[in-house]
Amino acid sequence: MSSKGGTLRAQWLGKLLRDLRESAGVSFQEAADHIVRDTSTISRMETGSLPARMSDVRELLNLYGVDDSNVRAGFEQLTRDIWKKGWWDGYADNVHTRIIDLAWLESRAVRMRDFSPLVIHGLLQTRDYAEAVMRAIDPDATDAQIARWLDFRMKRQEALDGRDYLGVLDESVFHRSIGGPGVMREQFAHLLDLSERPNITIRVLPFSVSLAAGAESTFTLLTMPTPFPVVAQVTTEAGMVYVEIPKAARFEAAYARIESHALDVEDSRMFLKSRMEKLA
C-alpha cells in the first residue's frame, strides 16, 4: 500500500483536500473526528504520503460542504486513479516517477499545449527519432533500458487520440540532425501525417522571431477536466517540475506569446515539406 504514496496523484488530491478544509474553517481535529481517525492521518493524507480512501474522501467532502456533483465526481475520479493500476505503473521499475506522473496527466488532460525549442516533443516522435534522442542524452543506457523507455514513449502517444493537442516547435528543431537524414525525413513525414488529424495542430516558430517572443525551456500546459486546474510541466536539467495555477499563468502567457509569433498551420506544413524535400 505504501508504494502508492508520494505520487503526483496522491499529492494533488491531498493539496486539494487541504485547501477545502482550510476554506471551510475545519481544524485537523474536527476532520479526524469526522472520519474516526487521528490527526496524523489527516496530515499524511494532505501531504500525499498516505493515499486517501474513497470512503474518507466522500465523508470529508460532506464535512467541507462540497455539494457540486461535478466537483465531487472529479475528486472521486482522482481517488480512483490513485488506487487503480494504470498501464504506466508497469514501467515503474524502469521509468522515473515524474515521467510516470506525466503519462497519467496526459491520459486525463482534455487539452495539451506545448513548446519544444530543442527536440521534437515526445508525443510526436517516431520510434527511430526517439531512440536517437535517448541514446544521445544517456549514452550509458543499456539496449534493454532503451527498449523499455521506447515502449513507454510509444504507449504515451495514445494520449493524442481524442483530445486537443497544440504544439509549437522552434525552427532549430528542424535543423538539428538527430539519427541521420533518413530518420529526420521519416520524422518530418510523421509530423505532416499528424498535422492532418482534426484534433492536432502543429506550428513552427521561425528564426525570424526574437528570443523575447519565445521561451528558454521546454514546457507543456495540460488543461485538466473540471474541477482541476491547468498544470504546467517544465523540463529542466534537474528533472521535471509541475506547476499549477496561479503560478502556471506565466506559462500560459508565454505560450500565447509564442503562438502569436508562430507560422500559421498552412505555412508550417509548407515549411515541413520544404525541410523534408531537402533530405531527399
Side-chain angles (χ1 to χ4, degrees):
M1 186 174 73
S2 61
S3 64
K4 293 285 184 181
T7 65
L8 181 66
R9 287 160 274 172
Q11 292 166 4
W12 198 4
L13 176 60
K15 178 182 179 299
L16 292 169
L17 288 173
R18 183 192 68 209
D19 290 346
L20 285 176
R21 179 179 59 77
E22 292 176 347
S23 295
V26 175
S27 68
F28 269 122
Q29 190 62 61
E30 290 169 327
D33 290 345
H34 187 76
I35 61 172
V36 196
R37 294 180 182 271
D38 55 36
T39 55
S40 67
T41 298
I42 298 296
S43 177
R44 292 169 63 204
M45 283 183 185
E46 292 185 358
T47 61
S49 61
L50 176 67
R53 294 185 178 277
M54 184 67 77
S55 58
D56 290 336
V57 170
R58 287 172 174 161
E59 282 304 317
L60 290 172
L61 292 177
N62 292 338
L63 177 64
Y64 303 152
V66 178
D67 299 319
D68 188 302
S69 59
N70 289 329
V71 174
R72 293 183 69 97
F75 271 87
E76 291 183 9
Q77 181 61 62
L78 181 53
T79 305
R80 280 191 289 271
D81 282 353
I82 291 171
W83 289 98
K84 183 176 66 177
K85 188 177 179 64
W87 68 262
W88 42 80
D89 291 314
Y91 292 85
D93 291 339
N94 306 96
V95 178
H96 194 281
T97 300
R98 301 305 270 176
I99 304 178
I100 295 287
D101 288 334
L102 177 59
W104 169 73
L105 282 169
E106 291 168 342
S107 76
R108 288 286 177 246
V110 296
R111 187 187 191 210
M112 292 184 282
R113 294 165 286 167
D114 74 69
F115 173 59
S116 302
L118 296 175
V119 297
I120 291 166
H121 192 277
L123 293 183
L124 308 178
Q125 295 175 0
T126 63
R127 191 178 184 92
D128 287 344
Y129 181 95
E131 180 175 356
V133 170
M134 290 174 184
R135 292 191 182 280
I137 291 174
D138 195 343
D140 295 326
T142 66
D143 288 345
Q145 286 175 317
I146 294 291
R148 287 290 284 170
W149 295 343
L150 284 170
D151 287 345
F152 181 79
R153 183 161 299 182
M154 296 302 105
K155 184 69 174 176
R156 273 179 55 206
Q157 292 181 359
E158 293 179 9
L160 291 174
D161 298 335
R163 54 180 48 82
D164 290 337
Y165 175 90
L166 299 89
V168 178
L169 301 168
D170 189 82
E171 183 175 345
S172 62
V173 166
F174 301 96
H175 294 275
R176 183 171 293 109
S177 183
I178 295 177
V183 169
M184 293 297 289
R185 181 178 171 79
E186 180 187 32
Q187 177 64 71
F188 294 163
H190 182 59
L191 290 175
L192 284 168
D193 288 343
L194 288 174
S195 70
E196 292 179 354
R197 295 190 193 179
N199 63 312
I200 295 178
T201 301
I202 298 173
R203 297 173 63 186
V204 176
L205 184 69
F207 281 146
S208 58
V209 175
S210 69
L211 180 62
E216 295 181 82
S217 60
T218 299
F219 69 90
T220 301
L221 289 162
L222 300 108
T223 302
M224 306 305 289
T226 303
F228 304 116
V230 171
V231 178
Q233 176 264 316
V234 188
T235 302
T236 72
E237 284 298 317
M240 289 185 177
V241 177
Y242 295 98
V243 183
E244 298 174 26
I245 291 294
K247 291 182 179 180
R250 65 185 290 264
F251 292 98
E252 290 202 289
Y255 189 84
R257 188 169 62 249
I258 291 165
E259 193 175 34
S260 70
H261 288 85
L263 300 179
D264 64 27
V265 173
E266 211 39 59
D267 285 344
S268 294
R269 284 181 56 82
M270 291 297 292
F271 174 87
L272 266 169
K273 289 178 180 178
S274 173
R275 290 301 303 164
M276 188 170 69
E277 288 168 359
K278 288 179 180 178
L279 292 173

